[in-house]
Amino acid sequence: MNKAIIRLKNSLNRGTQSLFRCDFHTSDAINQHLEEKVILTKDRYPNMKRGKFAELQGSHIQHFINLLGPTRVLTDPNDVEPYNIDWIKVVRGYSGIVLKPKTTQEVSEILKFCNSERLAVCTQGGNTGLVGGSVPVFDEVILSMSLMNKVIDINPLSGTLICEAGCVLENLDSALEEHNLMMPLDLGAKGSCHIGGNISTNAGGLRLIRYGSLHGSVLGVEAVLANGDVMDVLNVLKKDNTGYHLRHLFIGSEGTLGVVTKASIHCPPRPKALNLAFLGTDSFKNVLNILQLAKSCLSEILSSCEMIDDPSISAVIRNLGVNSPIGQFPFYVLIETSGSHTAHDEEKLNAFLEKAMAESYVLDGTVTNEPSRMQVLWQLRERIAEALLKDGPVYKYDVSLPVEHFYGIVPLLQEKLRGTSAEIVTGYGHIGDGNVHLNITSKFYDQDLVHDVIEPFVFKWVADHNGSISAEHGIGFKKTEFLHYSKKPGAIALMKQMKTLMDPNGILNPYKVLPED
Amino acid sequence: MNKAIIRLKNSLNRGTQSLFRCDFHTSDAINQHLEEKVILTKDRYPNMKRGKFAELQGSHIQHFINLLGPTRVLTDPNDVEPYNIDWIKVVRGYSGIVLKPKTTQEVSEILKFCNSERLAVCTQGGNTGLVGGSVPVFDEVILSMSLMNKVIDINPLSGTLICEAGCVLENLDSALEEHNLMMPLDLGAKGSCHIGGNISTNAGGLRLIRYGSLHGSVLGVEAVLANGDVMDVLNVLKKDNTGYHLRHLFIGSEGTLGVVTKASIHCPPRPKALNLAFLGTDSFKNVLNILQLAKSCLSEILSSCEMIDDPSISAVIRNLGVNSPIGQFPFYVLIETSGSHTAHDEEKLNAFLEKAMAESYVLDGTVTNEPSRMQVLWQLRERIAEALLKDGPVYKYDVSLPVEHFYGIVPLLQEKLRGTSAEIVTGYGHIGDGNVHLNITSKFYDQDLVHDVIEPFVFKWVADHNGSISAEHGIGFKKTEFLHYSKKPGAIALMKQMKTLMDPNGILNPYKVLPED
Ligand SMILES: Cc1cc2nc3c(=O)[nH]c(=O)nc-3n(C[C@H](O)[C@H](O)[C@H](O)COP(=O)(O)OP(=O)(O)OC[C@H]3O[C@@H](n4cnc5c(N)ncnc54)[C@H](O)[C@@H]3O)c2cc1C
Ligand SMILES: Cc1cc2nc3c(=O)[nH]c(=O)nc-3n(C[C@H](O)[C@H](O)[C@H](O)COP(=O)(O)OP(=O)(O)OC[C@H]3O[C@@H](n4cnc5c(N)ncnc54)[C@H](O)[C@@H]3O)c2cc1C
């Protein structure tokens, strides 16, 4: 050994608790502070036609009771109702039944039966999806995965987790904590969403810049196909090149190609140190400079890079009484680091800050590693959606753009909407991933403005700039007609062929993801 | 700012050059130091039957010349011959033609024509594949991607690269260097292999523990389907949930579902500091302890963790005259760190080493950050394959196992082979990813021992321990009959259905990946 051996600093702050972050986006173009009863989807969208599926009969119900027993087949309308309505209370089906399987075998029997009887099925995880994918459009049988919630194995050595699809994300993260591991994804809905739902929507969230997407983290899945066949590719291996990589068919296909029943996940070591900086700057160009400098100086410890514009922060300050620790600037950037060594991480962060200030990228800022102060700072980012809603209905779009175009649409849309009911346009989001949340605050809900002016403009601009019209939330029920803005006809045609191959009777989550012919 | 601001140390060692590492594995169960002419595959495997494809006619050749001009259509046997033989000179087709398209449009025209004429096609990248996938089995038309070698765009801000599929991996890494970015994968064949070949084989390599698999790094692809249709999902977005994630169909499908023509890749920042430790230990149990401690102490900077057993190192010392810097131990571990801060990385590494020695996991070791010394240390790992071959024919298997079973098969196989021609069994490999290279040195090549004793035992043991019979190299031509050891019948059936859907005439790389019915 020709090197000095230095002790790990005692100050190592093991198991720093992770912060609760609510990255709540209400749905696109929907005002969500109404109290009234949710309109049935079939009435809200009168042009939607129910597919040629069977209607639920007493004999079907009896078959399900024989299979699951009476307590795991819900048919009382009061019991079924919550499963018919989505989290943001915008879409509502009128299914008469909820099934709660406990095993893969039961899921298989259910789908086999539904397939042969031509009963349509809507699989539901934590029901936190934001595009209407998790509830029936008409009277589809609801398959709730909530009782398939067992952790099957945690292997601390290889950093792998195997669990059933109905496990709640936050519970998995807690189970991993004692092994000094963590879930590679984190989102505001973590207290309710299931890992099966996360996989089916390819959920992104706040840590993607550091831990990558689920296509990288999911090592294997077990899924049941429409005909009841069990597809077992529940691998825990990091390297396995034996044939087509089928698990990716189920990541992001929103329950239309199969029901995910189990998953194995690669789980990184839990960070021992967390730091958060909240910075003010004068231009979007300097936001980009900050991002680039952060990537270079913070590199492997950069775990979040969020941008917020002044109208967004102002709404939080004005409407929620939260204080900003720094003066007013056109733009703000939140930088989070997570790493394995407190002193090193602080030193890197300080070097970054010094440089950013010397170059005048950053004009003012504050930095902390105290959990309570971090929580306060995160509020400035997390409570924007809530704050904006206090000013009136908000039309919201969750889009991805090449990072240089991240903010470009905001001033253009502002210009376009001048003199209308919806004059205030704001933008914030995961700039590290090019994922911007575009918000338009309106005086009242104006359906024509949304459909005739805002949506065509936003989706076309995003498409013209090689962006994605749905960065994280998926297509679900609500965006099928816009899919063509982000996917070419050839790709959509292949998707349809795959759907036909894997679900020839179309029983799995019909009316979702793919547009009508 | 309530924190001390400390300057980045001047010692930051920007752009430390990456080391050449030859992670060369000859093929499974094949002795590769023969000089003689390679036997035609059709003669070596007399039971293989040529599919009902058309035979190449003068009119076909004329059509291709009209399309590409005369210089990009090779038909002279001397020109064609190198494309018929694989890198390790084990399989050899007898194709009469090589086509060298320069554009996606040309690839499209070629496939459209081949599909309508029922001409089988074998796509070839750098021809470094190790399972016979990259050369024709019979007389398939060879589609060489080598002229599609343009870098289309590097975006330093978002860390993304767009390029044509025929770009050589090392060239891409060099092009990224000036932007302080790197390719997320590294392998011994990097001077020859193409990014299109890497994607088609889902190449793993030495940095997977740090940068993850290509399913995480590849953001988009453009591919041409069997019928000539261009599938353009060439996204540069990190978040895009619009429909099925089709690009994953082409990652790891070894040219049987489409020809990859372009790709976009997420490229991480280039590390500024590299360190390498070479450690000796007394048991496999302590190898696992070292792995776990390295993951915990080195966490985000751990970029390689390789295990080597004593017979492997001894062969390098004995047969190649390389010196080991430490005494003799039953097992050795190589640990590489790459990070953004020299002093921090060294401090973390030293803390890890101190702990590993205090716990007696490590009995002796050496550590360095000097490029020339690192190169010498890497030789002890990289030249094992070469060294073992000096003792006679070597039967080689590239398998994945849950990490606790990583070495289990070595002593068992040794026991089983006692008294045969093949008594020396060694194991080494990427323990961080559970990927072990199993080597059996023999006095002479004994086909019966391989087929009747070794292969059934190895593949069954791997399958029984939930491993993969091909960790990195794929199935290609040579492993189709063993696919069932790692994939269940339901999964293989779905693979076949997908093949039929996407290539109904079976013209793309026939005889590869999927077993005959
Ligand atoms: C407060 C809040 C914050 C959010 N933040 C983010 C964020 O940062 N990033 C992000 O990506 N999303 C976010 N979302 C959206 C949502 O949480 C995610 O889409 C989540 O992954 C959905 O999981 P779930 O279990 O609730 O699925 P559900 O809502 O129940 O279902 C979603 C879709 O998946 C299907 N599905 C569910 N389970 C299965 C299964 N086992 N097999 C097959 N199909 C299944 C459903 O049919 C449906 O199409 C947020 C939502 C809320 C309410
Ligand atoms: C010295 C050495 C070290 C190696 N180390 C590693 C390692 O560490 N990890 C690892 O995973 N592999 C390793 N390999 C194996 C090999 O390098 C990889 O499989 C590599 O990714 C193959 O790339 P290629 O361009 O040479 O592809 P080829 O060998 O030309 O082709 C491989 C397969 O991909 C298909 N293909 C190629 N290009 C395309 C395309 N554009 N579109 C569709 N299909 C295509 C071919 O038809 C064939 O089936 C090593 C090989 C050598 C010789």
XYZ file of all heavy atoms in Angstrom, chain A residues 12 14 21 27 48 51 69 86 137 154 172 210 215 259 268 290 293 337 361 375 399 427 432 448 462:
192
model
N -20.164 11.051 8.866
C -21.019 10.410 7.864
C -22.418 10.209 8.414
O -22.619 9.598 9.447
C -20.445 9.058 7.446
C -19.510 9.110 6.268
C -19.205 7.706 5.795
C -20.112 9.913 5.139
N -25.386 8.587 8.041
C -26.064 7.417 7.459
C -27.572 7.561 7.486
O -28.158 8.020 8.441
C -25.711 6.153 8.241
C -24.357 5.631 7.877
C -24.126 4.263 8.473
N -22.919 3.717 7.888
C -22.931 2.846 6.895
N -24.064 2.383 6.421
N -21.806 2.421 6.394
N -41.849 14.490 -1.292
C -41.984 15.510 -2.330
C -43.236 15.254 -3.128
O -43.401 14.204 -3.705
C -40.835 15.413 -3.319
C -39.501 15.604 -2.683
C -38.498 15.427 -3.761
N -37.206 15.229 -3.168
C -36.262 14.522 -3.738
N -36.487 13.946 -4.887
N -35.104 14.391 -3.160
N -54.448 17.083 -14.234
C -54.445 16.618 -15.619
C -54.363 17.780 -16.591
O -54.613 18.923 -16.266
C -55.710 15.856 -15.890
O -55.741 15.518 -17.246
N -67.452 8.676 -27.962
C -66.800 7.385 -27.672
C -67.841 6.287 -27.759
O -68.908 6.387 -27.159
C -66.260 7.360 -26.244
C -64.918 7.999 -26.014
S -63.552 7.230 -26.894
C -63.690 5.517 -26.390
N -66.940 -0.763 -27.015
C -66.542 -1.873 -27.891
C -67.513 -3.033 -27.791
O -68.380 -3.061 -26.895
N -63.578 -16.385 -3.925
C -64.339 -16.279 -2.677
C -65.115 -14.983 -2.686
O -64.811 -14.066 -3.466
N -61.023 8.325 -11.270
C -59.568 8.481 -11.201
C -59.165 9.482 -10.113
O -60.004 10.167 -9.522
C -58.996 8.853 -12.572
C -59.264 10.291 -12.940
O -60.286 10.846 -12.478
O -58.467 10.881 -13.698
N -63.531 3.004 -18.884
C -64.191 4.052 -19.668
C -65.697 3.783 -19.660
O -66.508 4.693 -19.465
C -63.634 4.066 -21.107
C -64.397 5.066 -21.980
C -62.146 4.419 -21.077
N -35.260 -9.570 -0.934
C -34.314 -8.454 -1.066
C -32.925 -9.053 -0.951
O -32.630 -9.746 0.029
C -34.521 -7.390 0.033
C -35.888 -6.717 -0.133
C -33.413 -6.338 -0.001
C -36.241 -5.732 0.980
N -41.966 -0.205 -0.444
C -40.767 -0.881 -0.950
C -39.523 -0.117 -0.529
O -38.531 -0.693 -0.091
C -40.830 -1.004 -2.479
C -41.913 -1.944 -3.020
C -41.943 -1.886 -4.549
C -41.689 -3.377 -2.544
N -30.329 11.001 -12.039
C -29.280 10.258 -11.358
C -29.388 8.741 -11.556
O -28.395 8.065 -11.782
C -29.359 10.586 -9.855
C -28.483 9.747 -8.964
C -27.001 10.063 -9.162
N -26.203 9.221 -8.306
C -25.978 9.468 -7.028
N -26.439 10.570 -6.483
N -25.277 8.628 -6.310
N -36.547 1.378 -17.662
C -36.021 0.427 -18.646
C -34.626 -0.056 -18.233
O -34.220 -1.157 -18.572
C -35.969 1.047 -20.037
C -37.309 1.129 -20.695
N -37.965 0.036 -21.181
C -38.130 2.182 -20.911
C -39.127 0.400 -21.687
N -39.262 1.701 -21.538
N -50.913 -8.015 -17.797
C -50.995 -7.556 -16.408
C -49.696 -7.935 -15.716
O -49.343 -9.122 -15.653
C -52.196 -8.214 -15.682
C -52.201 -7.831 -14.210
C -53.498 -7.817 -16.359
N -30.187 0.865 -6.109
C -28.866 1.429 -5.783
C -28.675 1.610 -4.275
O -29.645 1.596 -3.517
C -28.884 2.784 -6.493
C -30.313 3.125 -6.697
C -31.085 1.848 -6.723
N -26.054 27.121 -15.647
C -26.028 26.476 -14.326
C -26.140 24.962 -14.485
O -25.400 24.196 -13.856
C -27.169 27.026 -13.434
C -26.894 28.501 -13.083
C -27.336 26.190 -12.175
C -28.070 29.208 -12.411
N -22.830 23.562 -15.763
C -21.795 23.604 -14.731
C -22.067 22.558 -13.644
O -21.149 21.900 -13.150
C -21.727 25.018 -14.128
C -20.533 25.304 -13.225
C -19.235 25.286 -14.030
C -20.693 26.649 -12.517
N -27.937 17.324 -4.335
C -26.896 16.302 -4.477
C -27.220 15.160 -3.514
O -27.724 15.381 -2.429
C -25.496 16.835 -4.129
O -25.444 17.146 -2.733
C -25.149 18.080 -4.935
N -23.455 33.392 -13.276
C -24.615 32.571 -13.639
C -25.659 32.659 -12.521
O -26.854 32.707 -12.765
C -24.255 31.097 -13.827
C -23.222 30.794 -14.886
C -22.509 29.599 -14.837
C -22.985 31.673 -15.944
C -21.577 29.282 -15.812
C -22.048 31.361 -16.919
C -21.338 30.171 -16.840
O -20.412 29.851 -17.791
N -36.823 20.725 3.371
C -38.258 20.552 3.146
C -38.921 21.886 2.783
O -39.743 21.949 1.874
C -38.886 19.973 4.422
C -40.144 19.217 4.169
C -40.219 17.945 5.020
O -39.368 17.718 5.884
N -41.225 17.130 4.791
N -44.704 18.091 -20.876
C -44.015 17.779 -22.133
C -42.497 17.680 -21.940
O -41.945 18.191 -20.971
C -44.325 18.850 -23.216
C -45.823 18.916 -23.473
C -43.783 20.225 -22.821
N -43.850 28.216 -16.519
C -43.146 26.965 -16.824
C -42.178 26.620 -15.708
O -41.514 27.494 -15.153
N -33.119 19.052 -15.808
C -32.088 18.030 -16.018
C -32.531 16.955 -16.995
O -31.703 16.340 -17.671
N -63.382 25.918 -25.566
C -63.048 26.247 -26.953
C -61.615 26.746 -27.083
O -60.882 26.355 -27.997
C -64.008 27.314 -27.502
C -65.422 26.764 -27.648
O -65.562 25.513 -27.617
O -66.367 27.568 -27.752
N -44.419 21.522 -29.772
C -43.613 20.446 -29.172
C -43.149 19.483 -30.266
O -41.975 19.103 -30.333
C -44.415 19.729 -28.071
C -43.722 18.447 -27.636
C -44.609 20.654 -26.862
